[in-house]
Amino acid sequence: MRRDTHRAVRQVRQILDILQGKIVVGHALHNDFEVLRENMEKYNIWDTSTDRTLRSIGNLEGYRRVSLKVLCERILKKNIQTSRHGHSSVEDANATIELFKVFEKINKMSGRGTL
């Protein structure tokens, strides 16, 4: 194997080690885990694209997956991904964390606790 390949494999292992025992929060995480070539079922994940609580709050119950942009418009009352130059990973990550906080607040209020 080339040196670059060894380094990439090492970096993927480091990422996966960091994720162990953590709640992995994101949007459409199946894409991220596919790139890492890892089975996401081994991890404690919370995915905004498939969360039923968020779909309910956003009045989106009829949808199996919902875009981050639509969730933010409906729940956070804010527009994201408006740049003509594409998505900002930082903006998407911040929006996902905000949605997670909404989820946690609702679960806490309903007595379900947090993840």
Side-chain angles (χ1 to χ4, degrees):
M1 255 192 242
R2 291 188 356 214
R3 188 180 330 183
D4 291 342
T5 304
H6 281 297
R7 184 174 32 183
V9 168
R10 217 179 15 239
Q11 288 172 335
V12 167
R13 283 191 191 129
Q14 288 175 332
I15 291 167
L16 297 175
D17 286 345
I18 290 169
L19 299 180
Q20 286 294 330
K22 310 276 190 326
I23 299 172
V24 182
V25 175
H27 184 81
L29 286 168
H30 62 279
N31 295 316
D32 300 295
F33 279 92
E34 187 176 303
V35 168
L36 294 169
R37 295 187 176 147
E38 183 70 7
N39 181 351
M40 63 192 279
E41 293 177 9
K42 296 179 188 178
Y43 300 87
N44 185 9
I45 65 160
W46 184 81
D47 193 325
T48 58
S49 72
T50 58
D51 185 73
R52 290 182 178 135
T53 301
L54 293 182
R55 288 195 315 251
S56 178
I57 297 167
N59 200 22
L60 299 159
E61 289 97 340
Y63 300 89
R64 206 177 94 217
R65 289 188 191 275
V66 182
S67 73
L68 185 59
K69 181 179 182 99
V70 169
L71 286 170
C72 288
E73 288 169 358
R74 294 276 184 102
I75 297 168
L76 302 176
K77 307 294 186 222
K78 70 191 278 186
N79 293 317
I80 65 165
Q81 302 172 347
T82 57
S83 171
R84 292 180 297 167
H85 306 292
H87 296 223
S88 161
S89 59
V90 173
E91 180 182 49
D92 288 358
N94 286 331
T96 301
I97 294 299
E98 283 185 63
L99 288 167
F100 182 69
K101 289 177 181 178
V102 169
F103 168 83
E104 280 193 315
K105 184 177 180 181
I106 288 169
N107 275 356
K108 199 178 238 184
M109 289 170 44
S110 68
R112 287 182 277 194
T114 59
L115 293 180

